[in-house]
């Protein structure tokens, strides 16, 4: 018979197995938890109160033509009360004010139900604006437009045009917020009354400001052109009101700041830790006759002066072609024929006038002109047509 294991050893094995299976499994065996999205931020109590009042007013519009719904409406209105200001109508409106899933609305309605009833029965005439009476004056959750904070202080720029009309006042209309202006793109300053970095004043009057974008590499500027820069963005250096690309000008940089160069590329001059473009045209660098120097970024080039053009590597004066007359290319024989035609037309015209408009002479005159014209054109018709086509 096999020896039986000791009782203590068996208990220890069972305890070890139970402990092993109670341990969490490896990461790859554990079920992955679904990603948890952060809950949406709770709306400000003022916004909840405004939504409640808006829903209440819609309920009033929906029930404006209703009555008690009994069998004798005239008797009910006479004996009980007018439905317009009745408790029945108030209950019907309040039942539909909050949606089932709007917890914040239900909580606010529970806290303010007695106030709503007090306004309904006693305050409507003296305070017709429920939002002002409930949300601002009674619950003190909201502020007038253009104000913010517990004391309803004016927003920067004033209550008429908070943030100058070019931004959003944080907390405007509520009892919270800092009143800081979140300016639109291109605008800055405490009340968005200035142009931000990368923009300049294109137009300004007593009530309006128009900010337009600077040239791409400019952080501050006086206009939209590249030569209007007053301050450069990171990675650029200002030189003659233009922003020079430091990465192009430097062979080695000492840091991320603009213009911090160890050594400059050819065509750039080291000034402190910046590399600035050298204007080679300040010296005589173009030896050719009638040439002039044109400075470029990091170099220069030689071009012909105004009124000259390059031909076979040299600058020669531009030749302005003279305009040729219509008869400039005619041969001597063609000129003789044209003279004969001209005198013939004159003689025929005189003969026609002498005949005082006689039809026979008029016909002879027209025939003579046509014959001479045809003869002349037959000699040089191809050249005439080609000249008209080419614009001569």
């Amino acid at each position: 018979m096999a020896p039986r294991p000791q009782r203590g050893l068996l208990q220890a094995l069972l305890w070890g197995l139970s402990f092993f299976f109670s341990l969490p499994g490896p990461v790859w065996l554990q079920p992955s938890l679904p990603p948890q999205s952060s809950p949406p931020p709770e709306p400000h109590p003022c916004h909840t109160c405004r939504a409640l009042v808006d829903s209440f007013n819609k309920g009033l519009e929906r029930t404006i033509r209703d009555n008690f719904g009994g069998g004798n409406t005239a008797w009910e209105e006479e004996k009980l009360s007018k439905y317009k200001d009745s408790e029945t109508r108030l209950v019907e409106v309040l039942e539909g004010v909050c949606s089932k899933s709007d917890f914040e609305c239900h909580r606010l309605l529970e806290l303010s139900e007695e106030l709503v009833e007090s306004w309904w029965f006693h305050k409507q005439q003296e305070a017709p604006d429920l939002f002002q009476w409930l949300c601002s004056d009674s619950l003190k959750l909201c502020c007038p437009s253009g104000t913010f904070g517990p004391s309803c202080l004016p927003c920067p720029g004033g209550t008429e045009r908070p943030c100058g009309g070019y931004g959003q006042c944080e907390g405007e209309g509520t009892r919270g917020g800092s009143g800081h202006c979140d300016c639109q793109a291109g605008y800055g300053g405490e009340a968005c009354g200035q142009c931000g970095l990368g923009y300049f004043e294109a137009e300004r009057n007593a009530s309006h400001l128009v900010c337009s974008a600077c040239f791409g590499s400019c952080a501050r500027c006086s206009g939209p052109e590249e030569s209007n820069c007053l301050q450069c963005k990171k990675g650029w250096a200002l030189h003659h009101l233009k922003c020079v690309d430091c990465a192009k000008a430097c062979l080695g940089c000492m840091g991320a700041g603009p213009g911090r160069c160890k050594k400059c590329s050819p065509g750039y001059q080291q000034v402190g830790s910046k590399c600035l473009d050298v204007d080679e045209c300040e010296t005589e660098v173009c030896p050719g006759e009638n040439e002039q120097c044109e400075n470029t970024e990091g170099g220069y080039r030689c071009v012909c002066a105004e009124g000259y053009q390059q031909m076979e590597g040299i600058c020669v004066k531009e030749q302005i072609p003279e305009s040729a007359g219509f008869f400039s290319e005619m041969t001597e024989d063609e000129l003789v024929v044209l003279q004969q035609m001209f005198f013939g037309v004159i003689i025929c015209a005189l003969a026609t006038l002498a005949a005082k408009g006689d039809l026979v002479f008029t016909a002879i005159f027209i025939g003579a002109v046509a014959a001479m014209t045809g003869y002349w054109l037959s000699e040089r018709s191809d050249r005439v047509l080609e000249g008209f086509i080419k614009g001569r």
Side-chain angles (χ1 to χ4, degrees):
M1 178 180 293
R4 296 177 63 185
Q6 297 181 3
R7 187 177 183 84
L9 180 60
L10 181 61
Q11 289 179 348
L13 289 172
L14 292 175
W15 180 86
L17 289 173
S18 64
F19 176 75
F20 175 77
F21 286 112
S22 67
L23 293 174
V27 175
W28 59 85
L29 295 178
Q30 296 181 16
S32 59
L33 298 176
Q36 295 182 355
S37 58
S38 57
E42 293 185 1
H44 192 278
C46 175
H47 301 154
T48 303
C49 191
R50 182 182 291 277
L52 187 149
V53 171
D54 290 343
S55 181
F56 185 89
N57 291 332
K58 290 179 181 179
L60 292 180
E61 295 177 1
R62 186 178 63 253
T63 59
I64 194 170
R65 297 186 180 278
D66 292 352
N67 51 43
F68 288 104
N72 191 337
T73 303
W75 178 86
E76 289 172 341
E77 290 184 350
E78 179 182 356
K79 299 298 181 182
L80 299 179
S81 66
K82 295 291 185 182
Y83 175 78
K84 177 182 177 182
D85 300 320
S86 68
E87 184 177 0
T88 303
R89 186 185 182 194
L90 175 62
V91 172
E92 290 179 1
V93 171
L94 290 178
E95 286 178 349
V97 163
C98 299
S99 62
K100 294 181 179 180
S101 61
D102 194 343
F103 173 75
E104 296 297 328
C105 179
H106 283 286
R107 184 170 64 177
L108 182 61
L109 181 60
E110 183 179 352
L111 294 174
S112 60
E113 190 169 1
E114 292 184 2
L115 288 172
V116 174
E117 291 177 357
S118 174
W119 177 83
W120 179 259
F121 293 113
H122 307 294
K123 301 292 185 179
Q124 283 196 65
Q125 299 301 323
E126 59 183 85
D129 188 347
L130 176 59
F131 172 77
Q132 177 68 30
W133 184 86
L134 177 66
C135 302
S136 295
D137 299 339
S138 301
L139 297 177
K140 297 190 182 304
L141 299 176
C142 302
C143 287
S145 177
T147 62
F148 74 98
S151 302
C152 296
L153 299 175
C155 288
T159 58
E160 295 295 326
R161 295 187 67 201
C163 302
Y166 301 109
Q168 180 65 43
C169 175
E170 184 183 352
E172 180 188 0
T174 73
R175 299 282 174 148
S178 63
H180 173 76
C181 285
D182 184 14
C183 301
Q184 300 173 7
Y187 295 85
E190 182 183 0
C192 304
Q194 303 172 5
C195 293
L197 285 178
Y199 291 82
F200 70 96
E201 287 188 10
E203 184 178 345
R204 179 191 282 273
N205 56 31
S207 59
H208 290 86
L209 169 66
V210 178
C211 294
S212 299
C214 297
F215 189 79
S217 56
C218 302
R220 290 194 307 110
C221 64
S222 59
E225 303 297 332
E226 182 183 8
S227 57
N228 298 140
C229 292
L230 302 175
Q231 180 182 343
C232 299
K233 293 181 179 178
K234 185 177 180 180
W236 300 78
L238 187 65
H239 179 55
H240 293 317
L241 298 179
K242 291 185 179 181
C243 291
V244 180
D245 185 356
C246 293
K248 181 179 178 182
C250 297
L251 291 177
C253 294
M254 295 186 292
R260 295 177 56 80
C261 299
K262 290 182 180 179
K263 187 178 179 181
C264 297
S265 302
Y268 293 88
Q269 179 182 5
Q270 183 119 17
V271 179
S273 61
K274 296 183 179 181
C275 290
L276 304 180
D277 179 38
V278 176
D279 188 358
E280 294 86 354
C281 295
E282 292 181 355
T283 59
E284 294 291 337
V285 293
C286 294
E289 189 177 0
N290 301 321
E291 285 184 341
Q292 64 182 20
C293 178
E294 186 176 285
N295 190 48
T296 61
E297 187 66 37
Y300 70 95
R301 62 184 176 185
C302 295
V303 297
C304 292
E306 185 177 358
Y308 292 83
Q309 61 182 358
Q310 192 171 31
M311 292 184 63
E312 298 180 357
I314 60 174
C315 293
V316 297
K317 193 171 182 63
E318 293 180 349
Q319 299 293 330
I320 302 176
E322 298 180 359
S323 56
F326 181 75
F327 304 107
S328 61
E329 296 183 0
M330 292 180 62
T331 63
E332 293 184 1
D333 293 339
E334 290 171 344
L335 285 174
V336 172
V337 173
L338 188 60
Q339 291 173 356
Q340 293 175 352
M341 288 177 58
F342 175 75
F343 288 116
V345 169
I346 295 298
I347 293 172
C348 290
L350 293 175
T352 303
L353 291 174
K356 297 182 180 180
D358 189 281
L359 292 177
V360 176
F361 285 98
T362 301
I364 294 173
F365 168 68
I366 295 174
V369 172
M372 287 186 290
T373 303
Y375 170 78
W376 184 67
L377 288 178
S378 64
E379 293 291 328
R380 67 188 309 268
S381 59
D382 293 338
R383 296 180 60 190
V384 171
L385 290 176
E386 183 181 358
F388 275 112
I389 293 173
K390 291 183 178 179
R392 290 199 294 264

